[in-house]
Amino acid sequence: MPIIHFFLADTDHPMDSGHSLWGEPLPDRNGREFSTSLTYGEYFDAVAGFCVCNACRPICRALEQRLQRPIAESDIARLDIFLEKHGAFYHPARVSVSVLDRALSFVINVAASADGRRTIERETAALNRLGQQRPFGWLPRVYGNTCEPVPMFLADWFDGYHEFHLTVADGKQDPSIVVWDGADPPCLISEEQSASLYRQASMILTACYDPVSTEQIFPWHHAAGDFVARVKGDAVDVKLITVRGYASMFGEETETADERALLDNLVVFFIHLSVRMRLDRIDGVSQIAWAPDTCVAPIVDGFFKGLDLTGRLSGLPDAFPSLFQAYFGHHGKERIVKMARQLLNSAFGRQREETQIIDSELERHVQDLCRCIGRWENN
């Protein structure tokens, strides 16, 4: 059996049964105690138990897929288990595996909360399905799961990728994007890098949208840290680390045969995507914020890139993105604003902070969308 060490956020904060927190309950994202919480000690013991069960079979299976070679328990020298964060749904543990003179990282998402327990089975099914349908590396692969002593699943950890959020930078009126890369201060990225980030996130969500059945990834929110980014020089790469649901926007799977209905549903998806893409919380935890207008063109560009891919995968004609462009433009700004208000009142009706900022920004947002879509060219 490999040597196992426990840590809080990093190796400067080791954890064991002598630590003052070992017997304390895990808090939720806001620092409150769960009514049915695990203790820190029970959490670490559960994660370690899952890793080493059946001669480390879950970890060996994950390593075999990553390394493309057989792996035995004896090949694993050490497991370092880090409690990364107290999330809204999961308490993710990063597991650093020392194997064959190298280190590989995975995540074990532990459903310590009631919301997490309600979500975890749906999420693992969605990740497995999308991993087969869209095998492009945008999402983590699932390698195994268990329900005892607490529901959890083992998946890819994206090394070098970090949460990002809108922040208020000194001397700037509009919020900028900061990447939580562990630096002090965190990495404030450029306008061009921000554009790439929005373009990729919009592309991923649209490429995972099924225009025939209207199945899509939802819910998602930037404030929850659902997307992560890696910044290397001027380059930005984006991943989506969670899929809490994948279902039809109408609550049940449909098979849309009518071309007009297919396009109408796509208009609804696009409006919702474009608005939600602009929402975040300042530094991930403060007040709701609206991303600057400079993100609209990248959102539109990413949408059309994703639409081209999902259209081809769904057997739609190559001209489908251009067909949607013309159909959207035919509606006109006033009709789109009316449609958007109806949709967003339904989608955000109980979220007062979101609805207030959306109401104040919607007309200008739709105007920008119409302008960008009118200029889009299928290259």
Side-chain angles (χ1 to χ4, degrees), residues 172-362:
K172 290 190 176 182
Q173 183 175 0
D174 288 332
S176 305
I177 290 182
V178 66
V179 177
W180 290 357
D181 57 356
D184 186 18
C187 174
L188 190 68
I189 64 176
S190 68
E191 188 173 300
E192 292 76 17
Q193 290 171 318
S194 297
S196 178
L197 187 154
Y198 282 112
R199 185 179 299 111
Q200 291 180 58
S202 299
M203 182 275 294
I204 290 170
L205 290 171
T206 307
C208 290
Y209 172 73
D210 188 323
V212 178
S213 70
T214 73
E215 289 175 295
Q216 62 188 278
I217 294 172
F218 191 78
W220 63 271
H221 202 303
H222 285 311
D226 293 345
F227 285 96
V228 294
R230 181 185 65 196
V231 179
K232 281 193 172 182
D234 294 331
V236 177
D237 191 55
V238 175
K239 306 283 190 185
L240 179 62
I241 62 172
T242 181
V243 179
R244 292 189 291 276
Y246 187 72
S248 166
M249 67 171 68
F250 303 110
E252 59 183 25
E253 187 174 343
T254 61
E255 288 295 333
T256 305
D258 179 74
E259 181 181 276
R260 181 166 182 173
L262 188 150
L263 290 169
D264 283 339
N265 293 337
L266 187 55
V267 169
V268 171
F269 169 82
F270 173 61
I271 293 171
H272 188 208
L273 168 76
S274 69
V275 169
R276 190 170 288 275
M277 192 60 62
R278 299 189 71 171
L279 293 169
D280 196 358
R281 289 189 177 275
I282 293 295
D283 298 320
V285 295
S286 189
Q287 71 270 21
I288 288 291
W290 184 254
D293 295 345
T294 51
C295 76
V296 176
I299 289 170
V300 170
D301 188 36
F303 166 79
F304 276 107
K305 283 181 167 59
L307 185 60
D308 179 66
L309 177 55
T310 195
R312 292 172 188 271
L313 292 171
S314 300
L316 298 173
D318 292 349
F320 183 62
S322 297
L323 179 63
F324 175 79
Q325 179 189 29
Y327 189 77
F328 188 92
H330 178 72
H331 283 66
K333 175 191 167 186
E334 298 306 319
R335 187 176 174 190
I336 293 294
V337 168
K338 184 178 179 180
M339 290 176 63
R341 290 202 185 281
Q342 292 173 341
L343 162 67
L344 299 172
N345 284 339
S346 173
F348 294 93
R350 296 183 180 180
Q351 297 166 284
R352 181 166 295 181
E353 278 188 278
E354 282 88 345
T355 55
Q356 287 178 341
I357 196 168
I358 290 169
D359 285 344
S360 66
E361 300 284 355
L362 186 59

Side-chain angles (χ1 to χ4, degrees), residues 122-132 139-140 142 153 242-243:
R122 184 168 65 246
E123 171 147 21
T124 53
L127 286 171
N128 282 324
R129 179 180 175 188
L130 285 169
Q132 294 174 354
L139 309 170
V142 176
F153 69 91
T242 181
V243 179

